[in-house]
Amino acid sequence: MKLQRKNRLRALSLGVVAVSGALALTACGSDDTSSGPGNGDTSKDSSAAAAPSSSSDIDCSDAKGELLASGSSAQQNAIDAWVKSYTAACKDVRINYSPDGSGAGVTAFLQGRTAFAGSDSALKPEEITKSADVCKDSQAIDLPMVGGPIALGYNVPGVDNLVLDAKTLAHIFDGKISTWNDKEIKALNPDAKLPSTKIQAFHRSDESGTTDNFTKYLKAVAPGDWKYEGGKAWQAKGGQSAQGSSGLAQQVKQTAGAISYFELSYATDGIKTVDIKTKAAEPVKATTENASKAIAAAKVAGKGKDLALELDYNPSADGAYPITLVTYEIACEKGNKAESLPATKSFLNYIASEDGQGQLADAGYAPIPDAIIAKVRETITSLS
């Protein structure tokens, strides 16, 4: 299905919309949705099919029915904006995305309960192997769609600017630094008036690609100080936990002394973020532009049509923010259900389009670099 490039669709609110749903139509595997995520939807019913908007990159074509997806909470704000745009044009499609976390999303997809999954980590080799059960005579592939910085949000009264590095972050999240006026933090912030407030470090309670990427950074840059294997599940002892990126952001906002990790789009309502000391001359701020500089240096590590990326967590370039993630949409390369394939390809085509990617910066994300997103568009067209 080839997108018809047209004018941009922009006049949209990017507020967070509650997105969840229990639907019957899936792309790969069985039709069983009895244990599927969510209990609502993000679009309105319509009895009439809609033609593609004359001012967008949206091609509805044969897309219709209900589309179930789940996974990464990191991309929820982007998904909300995309769904609002897409369903305004394609009124015969209802899209339900439940932000249950990357681990839950991959599990639901591999069980054949969703059309696609969102994950902040690429599929593991064993997950690709297992995907053959739902992707008939094929496998699942990773499609990089959303980029962005993992911000370190903090709530330290009286401290408006804070610099930390990988070693100090490893000590904070491993419970080896307990107060904000610790000598390690002072050394990085000689001009700050650091209080003796107790550090309250929060981590994800659910399996999360955000956790995976944050701990990959710690392991890559401070291997002597972060001894844990890593993965979607938090492994360090101590600290406190909360569900999803929104849960962590809420804890930081309401807890004096708190620090946690979440996507920049969740650092709202006055939440301050840490500048990260790298090998560059100056500490780097968590911005979409700085994340894009890091993602642009990523290499495609996947095989065939799998577009999993290998990120550099220890960049030396000025302004390259080191703690970045890429959220993938995971779909079957072949073997998709005929009744849901048109809607799956139509929606994925839109979010990979110039218009779809163009909405990301306003929502606090970084668009996927041109060379990579071009491969994504080509791959989506070939889904069958």
Side-chain angles (χ1 to χ4, degrees):
M1 186 185 309
K2 185 177 181 180
L3 291 175
Q4 302 298 316
R5 187 74 60 194
K6 298 180 182 177
N7 296 330
R8 288 185 177 271
L9 180 63
R10 284 295 197 177
L12 297 165
S13 168
L14 295 173
V16 176
V17 180
V19 186
S20 57
L23 304 166
L25 191 62
T26 61
C28 309
S30 74
D31 286 326
D32 178 16
T33 60
S34 60
S35 58
N39 56 8
D41 68 75
T42 62
S43 60
K44 297 180 180 179
D45 293 314
S46 174
S47 59
S53 169
S54 61
S55 60
S56 75
D57 277 344
I58 301 173
D59 184 355
C60 302
S61 294
D62 298 323
K64 60 183 178 180
E66 296 179 320
L67 201 60
L68 177 64
S70 68
S72 165
S73 65
Q75 69 170 354
Q76 181 182 1
N77 294 341
I79 288 284
D80 289 343
W82 283 333
V83 167
K84 185 171 184 180
S85 301
Y86 180 83
T87 54
C90 302
K91 298 186 183 300
D92 265 6
V93 182
R94 297 174 63 193
I95 299 173
N96 290 256
Y97 182 83
S98 186
D100 298 330
S102 297
V106 170
T107 296
F109 176 80
L110 293 178
Q111 292 175 348
R113 294 190 280 114
T114 55
F116 65 91
S119 177
D120 305 324
S121 297
L123 290 168
K124 298 177 181 177
E126 59 268 27
E127 292 171 334
I128 292 177
T129 299
K130 183 175 175 57
S131 71
D133 294 339
V134 292
C135 303
K136 303 305 180 184
D137 300 319
S138 182
Q139 67 172 52
I141 54 176
D142 299 286
L143 302 170
M145 202 70 73
V146 180
I150 300 175
L152 274 299
Y154 70 96
N155 180 349
V156 184
V159 179
D160 293 329
N161 297 286
L162 185 66
V163 175
L164 297 174
D165 60 12
K167 178 180 178 180
T168 306
L169 285 167
H171 289 168
I172 287 173
F173 281 91
D174 201 21
K176 294 178 180 177
I177 294 178
S178 59
T179 61
W180 281 107
N181 63 350
D182 185 273
K183 61 182 181 181
E184 278 193 49
I185 301 176
K186 282 184 175 180
L188 292 166
N189 299 272
D191 298 326
K193 295 182 179 179
L194 297 166
S196 59
T197 305
K198 181 181 178 180
I199 293 175
Q200 306 283 351
F202 286 88
H203 58 266
R204 288 280 287 268
S205 59
D206 54 320
E207 289 197 356
S208 162
T210 312
T211 294
D212 191 15
N213 282 275
F214 176 53
T215 55
K216 279 180 180 177
Y217 160 74
L218 296 177
K219 188 176 180 180
V221 186
D225 301 281
W226 191 258
K227 302 292 188 179
Y228 303 97
E229 182 179 348
K232 293 185 179 74
W234 184 260
Q235 296 174 339
K237 306 300 180 183
Q240 302 179 64
S241 65
Q243 175 84 17
S245 295
S246 59
L248 292 181
Q250 182 62 30
Q251 290 297 330
V252 169
K253 182 179 177 181
Q254 67 187 22
T255 307
I259 185 171
S260 190
Y261 56 93
F262 37 78
E263 297 68 40
L264 182 62
S265 62
Y266 289 90
T268 58
D269 298 329
I271 294 178
K272 301 179 182 68
T273 60
V274 173
D275 294 350
I276 303 298
K277 181 176 174 57
T278 68
K279 292 185 292 185
E282 298 294 333
V284 185
K285 294 185 178 298
T287 67
T288 57
E289 293 81 5
N290 290 343
S292 291
K293 292 179 183 178
I295 295 171
K299 299 178 181 178
V300 175
K303 298 179 180 179
K305 292 187 177 181
D306 184 79
L307 297 176
L309 300 179
E310 181 180 328
L311 298 170
D312 181 3
Y313 292 100
N314 193 19
S316 57
D318 289 340
Y321 186 77
I323 320 175
T324 59
L325 62 74
V326 170
T327 296
Y328 301 90
E329 311 312 332
I330 295 169
C332 290
E333 180 181 349
K334 299 179 181 179
N336 293 280
K337 281 195 167 184
E339 59 266 37
S340 59
L341 179 60
T344 300
K345 292 180 69 172
S346 175
F347 181 66
L348 293 180
N349 264 321
Y350 167 61
I351 67 179
S353 73
E354 185 178 349
D355 280 351
Q357 291 290 299
Q359 293 195 47
L360 291 177
D362 289 340
Y365 300 97
I368 300 300
D370 290 344
I372 298 173
I373 202 66
K375 294 179 181 179
V376 173
R377 293 167 186 157
E378 180 181 353
T379 301
I380 292 170
T381 300
S382 69
L383 297 181
S384 62

PDB file of all heavy atoms in Angstrom, residues 339-370:
ATOM      1  N   GLU A 339      -8.214 -10.168   7.645  1.00  0.00           N
ATOM      2  CA  GLU A 339      -9.223  -9.176   8.006  1.00  0.00           C
ATOM      3  C   GLU A 339      -8.643  -7.961   8.728  1.00  0.00           C
ATOM      4  O   GLU A 339      -9.242  -6.884   8.730  1.00  0.00           O
ATOM      5  CB  GLU A 339     -10.329  -9.808   8.864  1.00  0.00           C
ATOM      6  CG  GLU A 339      -9.838 -10.425  10.163  1.00  0.00           C
ATOM      7  CD  GLU A 339      -9.536 -11.901  10.050  1.00  0.00           C
ATOM      8  OE1 GLU A 339      -9.024 -12.319   8.986  1.00  0.00           O
ATOM      9  OE2 GLU A 339      -9.788 -12.634  11.023  1.00  0.00           O
ATOM     10  N   SER A 340      -7.476  -8.112   9.340  1.00  0.00           N
ATOM     11  CA  SER A 340      -6.897  -6.977  10.060  1.00  0.00           C
ATOM     12  C   SER A 340      -5.666  -6.397   9.387  1.00  0.00           C
ATOM     13  O   SER A 340      -5.204  -5.310   9.751  1.00  0.00           O
ATOM     14  CB  SER A 340      -6.541  -7.374  11.497  1.00  0.00           C
ATOM     15  OG  SER A 340      -5.621  -8.455  11.488  1.00  0.00           O
ATOM     16  N   LEU A 341      -5.120  -7.097   8.400  1.00  0.00           N
ATOM     17  CA  LEU A 341      -3.906  -6.616   7.732  1.00  0.00           C
ATOM     18  C   LEU A 341      -4.064  -5.235   7.107  1.00  0.00           C
ATOM     19  O   LEU A 341      -3.174  -4.390   7.272  1.00  0.00           O
ATOM     20  CB  LEU A 341      -3.468  -7.636   6.672  1.00  0.00           C
ATOM     21  CG  LEU A 341      -2.221  -7.251   5.865  1.00  0.00           C
ATOM     22  CD1 LEU A 341      -1.008  -7.069   6.779  1.00  0.00           C
ATOM     23  CD2 LEU A 341      -1.945  -8.310   4.800  1.00  0.00           C
ATOM     24  N   PRO A 342      -5.163  -4.922   6.411  1.00  0.00           N
ATOM     25  CA  PRO A 342      -5.277  -3.573   5.819  1.00  0.00           C
ATOM     26  C   PRO A 342      -5.197  -2.462   6.863  1.00  0.00           C
ATOM     27  O   PRO A 342      -4.513  -1.447   6.640  1.00  0.00           O
ATOM     28  CB  PRO A 342      -6.646  -3.604   5.129  1.00  0.00           C
ATOM     29  CG  PRO A 342      -6.870  -5.043   4.799  1.00  0.00           C
ATOM     30  CD  PRO A 342      -6.288  -5.792   5.964  1.00  0.00           C
ATOM     31  N   ALA A 343      -5.881  -2.632   7.995  1.00  0.00           N
ATOM     32  CA  ALA A 343      -5.843  -1.593   9.029  1.00  0.00           C
ATOM     33  C   ALA A 343      -4.459  -1.499   9.661  1.00  0.00           C
ATOM     34  O   ALA A 343      -3.969  -0.404   9.956  1.00  0.00           O
ATOM     35  CB  ALA A 343      -6.893  -1.879  10.099  1.00  0.00           C
ATOM     36  N   THR A 344      -3.825  -2.649   9.876  1.00  0.00           N
ATOM     37  CA  THR A 344      -2.484  -2.649  10.458  1.00  0.00           C
ATOM     38  C   THR A 344      -1.507  -1.890   9.567  1.00  0.00           C
ATOM     39  O   THR A 344      -0.772  -1.008  10.015  1.00  0.00           O
ATOM     40  CB  THR A 344      -1.988  -4.091  10.661  1.00  0.00           C
ATOM     41  OG1 THR A 344      -2.865  -4.787  11.546  1.00  0.00           O
ATOM     42  CG2 THR A 344      -0.584  -4.106  11.248  1.00  0.00           C
ATOM     43  N   LYS A 345      -1.500  -2.225   8.275  1.00  0.00           N
ATOM     44  CA  LYS A 345      -0.578  -1.556   7.352  1.00  0.00           C
ATOM     45  C   LYS A 345      -0.918  -0.081   7.179  1.00  0.00           C
ATOM     46  O   LYS A 345      -0.025   0.773   7.124  1.00  0.00           O
ATOM     47  CB  LYS A 345      -0.608  -2.266   6.000  1.00  0.00           C
ATOM     48  CG  LYS A 345      -0.012  -3.661   6.022  1.00  0.00           C
ATOM     49  CD  LYS A 345      -0.066  -4.329   4.660  1.00  0.00           C
ATOM     50  CE  LYS A 345       0.848  -3.679   3.666  1.00  0.00           C
ATOM     51  NZ  LYS A 345       0.934  -4.455   2.392  1.00  0.00           N
ATOM     52  N   SER A 346      -2.209   0.229   7.128  1.00  0.00           N
ATOM     53  CA  SER A 346      -2.629   1.619   6.955  1.00  0.00           C
ATOM     54  C   SER A 346      -2.166   2.480   8.119  1.00  0.00           C
ATOM     55  O   SER A 346      -1.605   3.572   7.929  1.00  0.00           O
ATOM     56  CB  SER A 346      -4.150   1.684   6.813  1.00  0.00           C
ATOM     57  OG  SER A 346      -4.604   3.018   6.751  1.00  0.00           O
ATOM     58  N   PHE A 347      -2.383   2.004   9.354  1.00  0.00           N
ATOM     59  CA  PHE A 347      -1.995   2.782  10.532  1.00  0.00           C
ATOM     60  C   PHE A 347      -0.476   2.886  10.639  1.00  0.00           C
ATOM     61  O   PHE A 347       0.065   3.978  10.880  1.00  0.00           O
ATOM     62  CB  PHE A 347      -2.582   2.157  11.787  1.00  0.00           C
ATOM     63  CG  PHE A 347      -2.256   2.922  13.043  1.00  0.00           C
ATOM     64  CD1 PHE A 347      -2.747   4.204  13.246  1.00  0.00           C
ATOM     65  CD2 PHE A 347      -1.434   2.362  14.022  1.00  0.00           C
ATOM     66  CE1 PHE A 347      -2.433   4.927  14.402  1.00  0.00           C
ATOM     67  CE2 PHE A 347      -1.126   3.067  15.175  1.00  0.00           C
ATOM     68  CZ  PHE A 347      -1.617   4.353  15.367  1.00  0.00           C
ATOM     69  N   LEU A 348       0.231   1.768  10.464  1.00  0.00           N
ATOM     70  CA  LEU A 348       1.689   1.803  10.564  1.00  0.00           C
ATOM     71  C   LEU A 348       2.291   2.675   9.463  1.00  0.00           C
ATOM     72  O   LEU A 348       3.266   3.402   9.690  1.00  0.00           O
ATOM     73  CB  LEU A 348       2.266   0.390  10.502  1.00  0.00           C
ATOM     74  CG  LEU A 348       1.943  -0.535  11.677  1.00  0.00           C
ATOM     75  CD1 LEU A 348       2.592  -1.897  11.475  1.00  0.00           C
ATOM     76  CD2 LEU A 348       2.402   0.076  13.005  1.00  0.00           C
ATOM     77  N   ASN A 349       1.704   2.613   8.269  1.00  0.00           N
ATOM     78  CA  ASN A 349       2.163   3.488   7.191  1.00  0.00           C
ATOM     79  C   ASN A 349       2.029   4.957   7.569  1.00  0.00           C
ATOM     80  O   ASN A 349       2.923   5.776   7.303  1.00  0.00           O
ATOM     81  CB  ASN A 349       1.353   3.222   5.913  1.00  0.00           C
ATOM     82  CG  ASN A 349       2.055   2.271   4.967  1.00  0.00           C
ATOM     83  OD1 ASN A 349       3.258   2.339   4.806  1.00  0.00           O
ATOM     84  ND2 ASN A 349       1.297   1.389   4.353  1.00  0.00           N
ATOM     85  N   TYR A 350       0.908   5.295   8.222  1.00  0.00           N
ATOM     86  CA  TYR A 350       0.704   6.686   8.608  1.00  0.00           C
ATOM     87  C   TYR A 350       1.717   7.134   9.662  1.00  0.00           C
ATOM     88  O   TYR A 350       2.333   8.202   9.533  1.00  0.00           O
ATOM     89  CB  TYR A 350      -0.711   6.914   9.136  1.00  0.00           C
ATOM     90  CG  TYR A 350      -0.825   8.250   9.824  1.00  0.00           C
ATOM     91  CD1 TYR A 350      -0.587   9.427   9.118  1.00  0.00           C
ATOM     92  CD2 TYR A 350      -1.075   8.339  11.191  1.00  0.00           C
ATOM     93  CE1 TYR A 350      -0.608  10.657   9.753  1.00  0.00           C
ATOM     94  CE2 TYR A 350      -1.108   9.569  11.827  1.00  0.00           C
ATOM     95  CZ  TYR A 350      -0.870  10.721  11.104  1.00  0.00           C
ATOM     96  OH  TYR A 350      -0.879  11.930  11.737  1.00  0.00           O
ATOM     97  N   ILE A 351       1.911   6.335  10.696  1.00  0.00           N
ATOM     98  CA  ILE A 351       2.788   6.800  11.776  1.00  0.00           C
ATOM     99  C   ILE A 351       4.254   6.858  11.337  1.00  0.00           C
ATOM    100  O   ILE A 351       5.051   7.587  11.931  1.00  0.00           O
ATOM    101  CB  ILE A 351       2.625   5.962  13.065  1.00  0.00           C
ATOM    102  CG1 ILE A 351       3.123   4.529  12.894  1.00  0.00           C
ATOM    103  CG2 ILE A 351       1.173   5.963  13.510  1.00  0.00           C
ATOM    104  CD1 ILE A 351       3.003   3.689  14.166  1.00  0.00           C
ATOM    105  N   ALA A 352       4.597   6.102  10.281  1.00  0.00           N
ATOM    106  CA  ALA A 352       5.954   6.174   9.741  1.00  0.00           C
ATOM    107  C   ALA A 352       6.096   7.267   8.689  1.00  0.00           C
ATOM    108  O   ALA A 352       7.212   7.570   8.258  1.00  0.00           O
ATOM    109  CB  ALA A 352       6.343   4.832   9.132  1.00  0.00           C
ATOM    110  N   SER A 353       4.980   7.878   8.306  1.00  0.00           N
ATOM    111  CA  SER A 353       5.001   8.889   7.251  1.00  0.00           C
ATOM    112  C   SER A 353       5.619  10.202   7.734  1.00  0.00           C
ATOM    113  O   SER A 353       5.879  10.399   8.929  1.00  0.00           O
ATOM    114  CB  SER A 353       3.576   9.163   6.764  1.00  0.00           C
ATOM    115  OG  SER A 353       2.845   9.907   7.742  1.00  0.00           O
ATOM    116  N   GLU A 354       5.811  11.092   6.799  1.00  0.00           N
ATOM    117  CA  GLU A 354       6.353  12.406   7.150  1.00  0.00           C
ATOM    118  C   GLU A 354       5.437  13.127   8.126  1.00  0.00           C
ATOM    119  O   GLU A 354       5.894  13.763   9.083  1.00  0.00           O
ATOM    120  CB  GLU A 354       6.548  13.237   5.885  1.00  0.00           C
ATOM    121  CG  GLU A 354       7.229  14.575   6.123  1.00  0.00           C
ATOM    122  CD  GLU A 354       7.461  15.350   4.847  1.00  0.00           C
ATOM    123  OE1 GLU A 354       7.281  14.768   3.762  1.00  0.00           O
ATOM    124  OE2 GLU A 354       7.812  16.539   4.943  1.00  0.00           O
ATOM    125  N   ASP A 355       4.133  13.041   7.899  1.00  0.00           N
ATOM    126  CA  ASP A 355       3.178  13.675   8.811  1.00  0.00           C
ATOM    127  C   ASP A 355       3.227  13.037  10.194  1.00  0.00           C
ATOM    128  O   ASP A 355       3.238  13.726  11.216  1.00  0.00           O
ATOM    129  CB  ASP A 355       1.751  13.569   8.263  1.00  0.00           C
ATOM    130  CG  ASP A 355       1.470  14.619   7.192  1.00  0.00           C
ATOM    131  OD1 ASP A 355       2.323  15.511   7.009  1.00  0.00           O
ATOM    132  OD2 ASP A 355       0.416  14.537   6.558  1.00  0.00           O
ATOM    133  N   GLY A 356       3.207  11.696  10.223  1.00  0.00           N
ATOM    134  CA  GLY A 356       3.218  11.004  11.501  1.00  0.00           C
ATOM    135  C   GLY A 356       4.462  11.305  12.308  1.00  0.00           C
ATOM    136  O   GLY A 356       4.390  11.634  13.497  1.00  0.00           O
ATOM    137  N   GLN A 357       5.605  11.209  11.670  1.00  0.00           N
ATOM    138  CA  GLN A 357       6.864  11.509  12.356  1.00  0.00           C
ATOM    139  C   GLN A 357       6.954  12.985  12.727  1.00  0.00           C
ATOM    140  O   GLN A 357       7.567  13.357  13.719  1.00  0.00           O
ATOM    141  CB  GLN A 357       8.047  11.105  11.470  1.00  0.00           C
ATOM    142  CG  GLN A 357       8.212   9.608  11.292  1.00  0.00           C
ATOM    143  CD  GLN A 357       8.670   8.927  12.561  1.00  0.00           C
ATOM    144  OE1 GLN A 357       9.745   9.214  13.083  1.00  0.00           O
ATOM    145  NE2 GLN A 357       7.842   8.014  13.069  1.00  0.00           N
ATOM    146  N   GLY A 358       6.293  13.822  11.928  1.00  0.00           N
ATOM    147  CA  GLY A 358       6.331  15.259  12.188  1.00  0.00           C
ATOM    148  C   GLY A 358       5.626  15.670  13.459  1.00  0.00           C
ATOM    149  O   GLY A 358       5.863  16.765  13.977  1.00  0.00           O
ATOM    150  N   GLN A 359       4.762  14.811  13.984  1.00  0.00           N
ATOM    151  CA  GLN A 359       4.058  15.130  15.229  1.00  0.00           C
ATOM    152  C   GLN A 359       4.900  14.838  16.472  1.00  0.00           C
ATOM    153  O   GLN A 359       4.575  15.292  17.572  1.00  0.00           O
ATOM    154  CB  GLN A 359       2.761  14.321  15.316  1.00  0.00           C
ATOM    155  CG  GLN A 359       1.718  14.710  14.287  1.00  0.00           C
ATOM    156  CD  GLN A 359       0.355  14.160  14.645  1.00  0.00           C
ATOM    157  OE1 GLN A 359      -0.083  14.274  15.789  1.00  0.00           O
ATOM    158  NE2 GLN A 359      -0.307  13.565  13.673  1.00  0.00           N
ATOM    159  N   LEU A 360       5.977  14.084  16.322  1.00  0.00           N
ATOM    160  CA  LEU A 360       6.689  13.579  17.500  1.00  0.00           C
ATOM    161  C   LEU A 360       7.352  14.668  18.331  1.00  0.00           C
ATOM    162  O   LEU A 360       7.287  14.636  19.562  1.00  0.00           O
ATOM    163  CB  LEU A 360       7.727  12.545  17.070  1.00  0.00           C
ATOM    164  CG  LEU A 360       7.159  11.224  16.550  1.00  0.00           C
ATOM    165  CD1 LEU A 360       8.278  10.296  16.092  1.00  0.00           C
ATOM    166  CD2 LEU A 360       6.314  10.543  17.622  1.00  0.00           C
ATOM    167  N   ALA A 361       7.995  15.617  17.692  1.00  0.00           N
ATOM    168  CA  ALA A 361       8.719  16.639  18.451  1.00  0.00           C
ATOM    169  C   ALA A 361       7.785  17.422  19.359  1.00  0.00           C
ATOM    170  O   ALA A 361       8.128  17.729  20.513  1.00  0.00           O
ATOM    171  CB  ALA A 361       9.458  17.583  17.507  1.00  0.00           C
ATOM    172  N   ASP A 362       6.586  17.737  18.866  1.00  0.00           N
ATOM    173  CA  ASP A 362       5.625  18.486  19.678  1.00  0.00           C
ATOM    174  C   ASP A 362       5.147  17.681  20.877  1.00  0.00           C
ATOM    175  O   ASP A 362       4.681  18.241  21.866  1.00  0.00           O
ATOM    176  CB  ASP A 362       4.421  18.898  18.829  1.00  0.00           C
ATOM    177  CG  ASP A 362       4.767  19.995  17.826  1.00  0.00           C
ATOM    178  OD1 ASP A 362       5.790  20.682  18.035  1.00  0.00           O
ATOM    179  OD2 ASP A 362       4.032  20.146  16.833  1.00  0.00           O
ATOM    180  N   ALA A 363       5.243  16.355  20.777  1.00  0.00           N
ATOM    181  CA  ALA A 363       4.806  15.498  21.873  1.00  0.00           C
ATOM    182  C   ALA A 363       5.967  15.092  22.781  1.00  0.00           C
ATOM    183  O   ALA A 363       5.790  14.273  23.695  1.00  0.00           O
ATOM    184  CB  ALA A 363       4.129  14.240  21.315  1.00  0.00           C
ATOM    185  N   GLY A 364       7.163  15.654  22.556  1.00  0.00           N
ATOM    186  CA  GLY A 364       8.307  15.371  23.420  1.00  0.00           C
ATOM    187  C   GLY A 364       9.141  14.191  22.991  1.00  0.00           C
ATOM    188  O   GLY A 364       9.896  13.636  23.785  1.00  0.00           O
ATOM    189  N   TYR A 365       9.038  13.796  21.704  1.00  0.00           N
ATOM    190  CA  TYR A 365       9.796  12.657  21.199  1.00  0.00           C
ATOM    191  C   TYR A 365      10.719  13.102  20.064  1.00  0.00           C
ATOM    192  O   TYR A 365      10.595  14.203  19.532  1.00  0.00           O
ATOM    193  CB  TYR A 365       8.853  11.576  20.665  1.00  0.00           C
ATOM    194  CG  TYR A 365       7.891  11.018  21.683  1.00  0.00           C
ATOM    195  CD1 TYR A 365       6.593  11.506  21.778  1.00  0.00           C
ATOM    196  CD2 TYR A 365       8.276   9.992  22.539  1.00  0.00           C
ATOM    197  CE1 TYR A 365       5.697  10.987  22.701  1.00  0.00           C
ATOM    198  CE2 TYR A 365       7.379   9.463  23.463  1.00  0.00           C
ATOM    199  CZ  TYR A 365       6.099   9.966  23.544  1.00  0.00           C
ATOM    200  OH  TYR A 365       5.212   9.459  24.458  1.00  0.00           O
ATOM    201  N   ALA A 366      11.602  12.198  19.676  1.00  0.00           N
ATOM    202  CA  ALA A 366      12.502  12.467  18.560  1.00  0.00           C
ATOM    203  C   ALA A 366      12.101  11.617  17.366  1.00  0.00           C
ATOM    204  O   ALA A 366      11.940  10.407  17.491  1.00  0.00           O
ATOM    205  CB  ALA A 366      13.949  12.137  18.957  1.00  0.00           C
ATOM    206  N   PRO A 367      11.922  12.224  16.194  1.00  0.00           N
ATOM    207  CA  PRO A 367      11.616  11.441  14.991  1.00  0.00           C
ATOM    208  C   PRO A 367      12.762  10.484  14.668  1.00  0.00           C
ATOM    209  O   PRO A 367      13.921  10.735  14.999  1.00  0.00           O
ATOM    210  CB  PRO A 367      11.460  12.508  13.904  1.00  0.00           C
ATOM    211  CG  PRO A 367      11.204  13.785  14.638  1.00  0.00           C
ATOM    212  CD  PRO A 367      11.959  13.673  15.923  1.00  0.00           C
ATOM    213  N   ILE A 368      12.439   9.380  14.021  1.00  0.00           N
ATOM    214  CA  ILE A 368      13.465   8.447  13.581  1.00  0.00           C
ATOM    215  C   ILE A 368      14.215   9.073  12.398  1.00  0.00           C
ATOM    216  O   ILE A 368      13.595   9.640  11.491  1.00  0.00           O
ATOM    217  CB  ILE A 368      12.828   7.110  13.159  1.00  0.00           C
ATOM    218  CG1 ILE A 368      12.072   6.490  14.346  1.00  0.00           C
ATOM    219  CG2 ILE A 368      13.884   6.139  12.651  1.00  0.00           C
ATOM    220  CD1 ILE A 368      12.907   6.190  15.564  1.00  0.00           C
ATOM    221  N   PRO A 369      15.546   9.023  12.385  1.00  0.00           N
ATOM    222  CA  PRO A 369      16.321   9.635  11.298  1.00  0.00           C
ATOM    223  C   PRO A 369      15.867   9.159   9.919  1.00  0.00           C
ATOM    224  O   PRO A 369      15.404   8.031   9.750  1.00  0.00           O
ATOM    225  CB  PRO A 369      17.752   9.179  11.606  1.00  0.00           C
ATOM    226  CG  PRO A 369      17.771   9.016  13.094  1.00  0.00           C
ATOM    227  CD  PRO A 369      16.419   8.468  13.439  1.00  0.00           C
ATOM    228  N   ASP A 370      16.003  10.031   8.924  1.00  0.00           N
ATOM    229  CA  ASP A 370      15.470   9.793   7.584  1.00  0.00           C
ATOM    230  C   ASP A 370      15.917   8.474   6.974  1.00  0.00           C
ATOM    231  O   ASP A 370      15.112   7.742   6.386  1.00  0.00           O
ATOM    232  CB  ASP A 370      15.865  10.944   6.650  1.00  0.00           C
ATOM    233  CG  ASP A 370      15.145  12.243   6.992  1.00  0.00           C
ATOM    234  OD1 ASP A 370      14.140  12.181   7.734  1.00  0.00           O
ATOM    235  OD2 ASP A 370      15.591  13.307   6.533  1.00  0.00           O
TER     236      ASP A 370
END
